[in-house]
Amino acid sequence: RTLTKGMHAWMYNKTMPTISPKTHPVHKLVKEAFKEQNIIGWRHMKQRMISTKWSTTQKLHNQSRGTDPLNGNLLIQLIWTAMDTLWKERNQMEYGTTEEERTLHA
C-alpha cells in the first residue's frame, strides 16, 4: 500500500504518506524502498526506474505469509504495465489519437 500511496501522492501533488515506525523486517524494507524511491524520483517510475527494494519487500512479505515469494517480480511487472498505460493515456489526451488531432496540438 505504501507504494501506491506514494504514487498517488506524487500524481496529485499531495503530501507523501507517513511510513510505519514498526520494526518488523518487512516494515524496515518498506522504509528503505520508500527512501530509495524518493532518491530515484516518483516521476521516474513511468520510465521503469523503480527501486528494486519494492520487489524484495514484496517477496519477504509473501514469505512471512506463506505465499509464493516469487510474486515480488509480478508486483514490478504490474507497476510497469500500469505506468505504461497511464503514460499512453496522458499522451493521447495531450496530443490526440488521430493525425487531425495531432495537427491541432502542433
Side-chain angles (χ1 to χ4, degrees), residues 32-34 36-37 40 49-55 76:
E32 290 176 20
F34 195 84
E36 197 169 272
Q37 194 63 51
I40 294 168
M49 296 174 73
I50 182 170
S51 169
T52 57
K53 290 187 180 183
W54 292 116
S55 179
I76 301 301

Side-chain angles (χ1 to χ4, degrees), residues 10 44 47 86 88:
W10 167 73
H44 295 298
Q47 297 165 325
L86 180 64
K88 287 176 183 174

Side-chain angles (χ1 to χ4, degrees), residues 24-35:
H24 185 279
V26 171
H27 292 269
K28 287 181 180 180
L29 273 174
V30 167
K31 286 181 214 173
E32 290 176 20
F34 195 84
K35 284 180 187 177

Side-chain angles (χ1 to χ4, degrees), residues 50-52 54-55 71-81:
I50 182 170
S51 169
T52 57
W54 292 116
S55 179
N71 281 341
N73 294 332
L74 179 60
L75 171 69
I76 301 301
Q77 290 172 344
L78 290 172
I79 291 167
W80 283 347
T81 300

Side-chain angles (χ1 to χ4, degrees), residues 6 41 65 80 99 104:
R65 293 190 173 241
W80 283 347
E99 193 61 42
L104 291 173

Side-chain angles (χ1 to χ4, degrees), residues 90-104:
R90 178 238 175 243
N91 281 340
Q92 287 175 352
M93 289 175 14
E94 184 74 20
Y95 302 109
T97 56
T98 65
E99 193 61 42
E100 182 181 349
E101 290 173 340
R102 288 185 192 108
T103 303
L104 291 173

Side-chain angles (χ1 to χ4, degrees), residues 4-22:
T4 55
K5 286 182 179 183
M7 287 173 47
H8 185 268
W10 167 73
M11 289 172 65
Y12 294 100
N13 201 23
K14 296 190 180 256
T15 304
M16 284 292 178
T18 303
I19 308 301
S20 172
K22 296 178 183 175

